[in-house]
Amino acid sequence: KTLERKDNKEKLDKKTSSHAVEIARILQHGYEVFRDEEKLKRWLNKENRALNSLKPVELFDTLSGLSIVNDVLGRIEEGVYS
């Protein structure tokens, strides 16, 4: 939402820029795990028991939430996720 309100010529503050970079990193990691954009989109928007029945995308608003999502992706990648 913050990005949508910004004028194309406006710069992001450091906090918002950092957050955007972290989201991009998580999305890249997710793509590496699922190897398919549609599968990744479905996973991001589906309730997940490992995330207390939240959708992964619902945790994107905080850095700690992004870290939790990244941890779950790592578990999927290693075959530890059930």
Side-chain angles (χ1 to χ4, degrees), residues 20-68:
V21 168
E22 288 303 312
I23 290 171
R25 284 184 54 234
I26 298 302
L27 294 175
Q28 178 62 39
H29 186 194
Y31 184 78
E32 290 168 3
V33 170
F34 290 102
R35 302 261 187 235
D36 182 275
E37 188 175 337
E38 288 305 313
K39 286 181 184 178
L40 174 59
K41 285 180 185 178
R42 281 194 302 271
W43 183 81
L44 288 171
N45 290 289
K46 185 177 178 185
E47 291 180 357
N48 190 306
R49 285 184 295 166
L51 301 173
N52 202 24
S53 296
L54 293 172
K55 298 173 185 177
V57 74
E58 293 175 327
L59 298 174
F60 277 28
D61 60 340
T62 64
L63 291 178
S64 58
L66 288 169
S67 179
I68 292 167

Side-chain angles (χ1 to χ4, degrees), residues 4-16:
E4 290 173 358
R5 289 189 297 265
K6 290 277 188 192
D7 184 303
N8 288 341
K9 295 178 182 175
E10 278 185 88
K11 291 185 178 182
L12 299 175
D13 60 58
K14 287 181 183 181
K15 182 179 177 184
T16 305

